[in-house]
Amino acid sequence: MTVLHILFVCAFILLGIGLYGLLIIRNMIKIIITIQIMIKGAMLALVIAGGFTGQLNLGQSLAVTVITADTIVAIIGLALAIRIQERNGTLNVDEIVNPES
Amino acid sequence: MMPPVVLVSLVLSPAIYLTGRSHILAARTISLIALMIMWLTFGFIARGFAISGTQIYTQGTLVFSFDGLSLLITTVLLILSTLVIVFSIPDIQNKPGEDQYYAILLLMTGAVIGFVSAGDLFNLWVWFELTAISSYLLVAFYRENSDALAACAKYLMQTATGSILVLFGIALIFAESGYLDFSHIQIAASPLTIVAGTFFILGFGVKIALAPSYTWLADAYTEAPSGISALLSGIITISGLVALLRILAVLSGEMINWGAVLIGLGTLNIILGNMLALRQSEVKRIFAYSSVSHIGFIVFAIGISIYAHQGVGFQGGMLHLFIHGLMKALAFLTIGAVIYVRNTGLPLRINDLSGIAHREPLLAVGIITSCLSLAGVPPLAGFVSKLQIFYAGVTAENLPIIILTVFAAFNSVLSLGYYFPIINALFREESILPQRKLTPGIYIPVYALTVALLLIGIQPSILNVVIVPAAQTLSLLFGGQL
């Protein structure tokens, strides 16, 4: 078990933390933070995967590209949160989501 | 260099936004011109494909490869994009954010073309993100409506999670094989294939609304503008299946048969979509859940072919992909036309469809054609594709698959249970008076799609030129590892 293996498992632990948070957290902005935790886990996994195969440079460039794309997703999510706060007065996802089946 | 089809949309999309801020007419004109240029450049790619097979474009280390699958999706996408832009010109007029609408619509078109033609894994993920981002913005277009914002929030949270799962799958494949492009990856049979495959099925499953991650679909399609619902439900949601199939093809099938997984999930989709659609009273939600069911049919057909090593299921699945794109777009565009004409701002319920057969008879023909075609009634196009899927299931000569095929056929008949109330309501007495007249931008796409469905239903072999290369590409992808 090298350091790389342990770090790879840590990336999946971050994914697990993020998924658990996605299930139990009720505030929309906190959910966006949770999604960001999962993204950091994915970036770590990409860099470590590059480390396994000796292509650390490629792994790092992939991780930097992920930063760009997922920052945009976070921006859109936060813009939605602002609009929802204006319309509904609450950021609790139980009260925002449509009550239809 | 990048394929010109994608480059045009990426370059002209900001141009549309910048000119649209001052002159909205310029935005509409440039978007139509951009689509014409995309048709032209796509024609060159298609001609090159007919002459010499898969077309490859490289830009530095990015690889785009246009094979049969990419061509099929791009054809449907360009047809539907053209019709949706023509439809949106009167539909979105004077709504806030109109200039951004055309820009992001064009960007989404280019992004989906890049998504289905990506030649390596990370490229695929970047285009996937771009597709998802542009669709978040378009679903939340009616930003004053809190239901639309809630639908977009649900859609965003689920799709972002899905794309992160795909990223983990890519990291696993990268760690195992050291390559990212599809031509070099070969994953030997090991527990890793099951784990990576699960990540991809869950991640792309959110995108294509595969069970159990389909819950975002009903809200997103209902609250989006009608043109966007038509485009999303017609082609963009199912385009994720192309990426999923490309990736499953490089993962070895010895430890787990991906065909069996797809058959199971497809059947689940079929029955869930039907059951949920029966309970709805809002028309757009009925069509949204019907989309879930039809995506199940496509995945079911492809699963049969992978499991039973035959080519008929691939053809049936691809034919249903094409025809469902046209049928569902027709359904959403006609409902959009009804909403446009009634102009009440309230969600359209089945009872609100009363009187259309008397006042706008040609719209009623469009709704009836789309409903009957979706249910699989001959001589419309939906019958042909469903027949081929059931034929593929029956010729698989495997008792569980035959039982599931009969089950799917029963579900196809069951779907009439929620289409008939819609057709029935058209002929009742009028309850809401129309406030606007139909403009050519609204009814030309409806008529074009209706005629197309009738023609394809009578003579389905006119689609052979796009369906057969796609089915052959799939056979080639999965033939290597079977």
Side-chain angles (χ1 to χ4, degrees), chain B residues 19-39:
Chain B
T19 59
R21 290 179 60 126
S22 44
H23 301 288
I24 191 62
L25 189 61
R28 297 179 197 148
T29 323
I30 298 180
S31 57
L32 281 173
I33 293 176
L35 264 181
M36 294 304 126
I37 300 177
M38 285 171 84
W39 270 113

Side-chain angles (χ1 to χ4, degrees), chain A residues 65-66 69-70 73, chain B residues 1-11 13 38 57-59 61-66 77 104 106-136 155 159 163 166-167 170 182 204 207 236 239-240 243 246:
Chain A
T65 313
V66 172
D70 284 304
V73 172
Chain B
M1 50 164 280
M2 282 177 73
V5 192
V6 182
L7 201 58
V8 163
S9 78
L10 291 182
V11 165
S13 167
M38 285 171 84
Y57 291 81
T58 48
Q59 161 101 3
T61 51
L62 301 179
V63 177
F64 292 88
S65 72
F66 281 91
L77 178 67
I104 299 179
L106 200 66
L107 188 65
M108 189 162 71
T109 310
V112 175
I113 298 179
F115 180 45
V116 298
S117 64
D120 70 81
L121 274 176
F122 196 67
N123 204 4
L124 185 79
W125 183 83
V126 173
W127 290 110
F128 177 35
E129 278 294 289
L130 191 57
T131 313
I133 288 170
S134 40
S135 59
Y136 301 151
Y155 178 38
T159 308
S163 80
V166 167
L167 208 52
I170 292 177
F182 286 114
F204 282 118
K207 167 90 173 150
I236 294 184
S239 65
R246 284 196 217 267

Side-chain angles (χ1 to χ4, degrees), chain B residues 299-320:
Chain B
V299 170
F300 179 67
I302 293 180
I304 291 177
S305 255
I306 299 176
Y307 187 78
H309 312 301
Q310 36 142 277
V312 186
F314 287 138
Q315 280 196 351
M318 293 295 109
L319 187 62
H320 198 68

Side-chain angles (χ1 to χ4, degrees), chain B residues 89-310:
Chain B
I89 291 176
D91 193 37
I92 303 291
Q93 208 170 21
N94 300 327
K95 300 246 168 82
E98 189 182 350
D99 46 352
Q100 303 149 8
Y101 179 89
Y102 293 107
I104 299 179
L105 183 58
L106 200 66
L107 188 65
M108 189 162 71
T109 310
V112 175
I113 298 179
F115 180 45
V116 298
S117 64
D120 70 81
L121 274 176
F122 196 67
N123 204 4
L124 185 79
W125 183 83
V126 173
W127 290 110
F128 177 35
E129 278 294 289
L130 191 57
T131 313
I133 288 170
S134 40
S135 59
Y136 301 151
L137 295 170
L138 286 173
V139 164
F141 181 71
Y142 292 134
R143 59 183 96 135
E144 309 299 321
N145 183 2
S146 64
D147 283 342
L149 296 173
C152 183
K154 218 182 196 179
Y155 178 38
L156 186 144
M157 290 189 277
Q158 295 199 13
T159 308
T161 311
S163 80
I164 295 168
L165 289 173
V166 167
L167 208 52
F168 270 97
I170 292 177
L172 278 173
I173 290 189
F174 187 36
E176 177 70 19
S177 75
Y179 290 110
L180 279 177
D181 49 327
F182 286 114
S183 47
H184 287 137
I185 304 176
Q186 279 303 329
I187 311 284
S190 68
L192 177 73
T193 58
I194 303 183
V195 178
T198 312
F199 272 117
F200 282 116
I201 288 183
L202 287 176
F204 282 118
V206 173
K207 167 90 173 150
I208 64 177
L210 205 54
S213 354
Y214 60 88
T215 49
W216 58 267
L217 191 138
D219 292 320
Y221 285 7
T222 314
E223 307 297 338
S226 307
I228 299 303
S229 297
L231 201 55
L232 276 178
S233 66
I235 190 61
I236 294 184
T237 303
I238 199 65
S239 65
L241 187 62
V242 168
L244 181 62
L245 290 175
R246 284 196 217 267
I247 294 178
L248 287 183
V250 299
L251 295 173
S252 162
E254 285 173 29
M255 299 217 51
I256 177 169
N257 195 329
W258 300 118
V261 174
L262 288 179
I263 290 177
L265 292 175
T267 314
L268 211 54
N269 255 40
I270 295 175
I271 185 63
L272 280 173
N274 274 339
M275 288 288 120
L276 288 167
L278 282 170
R279 303 183 47 196
Q280 306 303 321
S281 59
E282 200 179 326
V283 183
K284 278 178 98 168
R285 285 186 87 93
I286 294 180
F287 284 124
Y289 281 119
S290 153
S291 271
V292 172
S293 186
H294 282 269
I295 290 170
F297 274 109
I298 297 174
V299 170
F300 179 67
I302 293 180
I304 291 177
S305 255
I306 299 176
Y307 187 78
H309 312 301
Q310 36 142 277

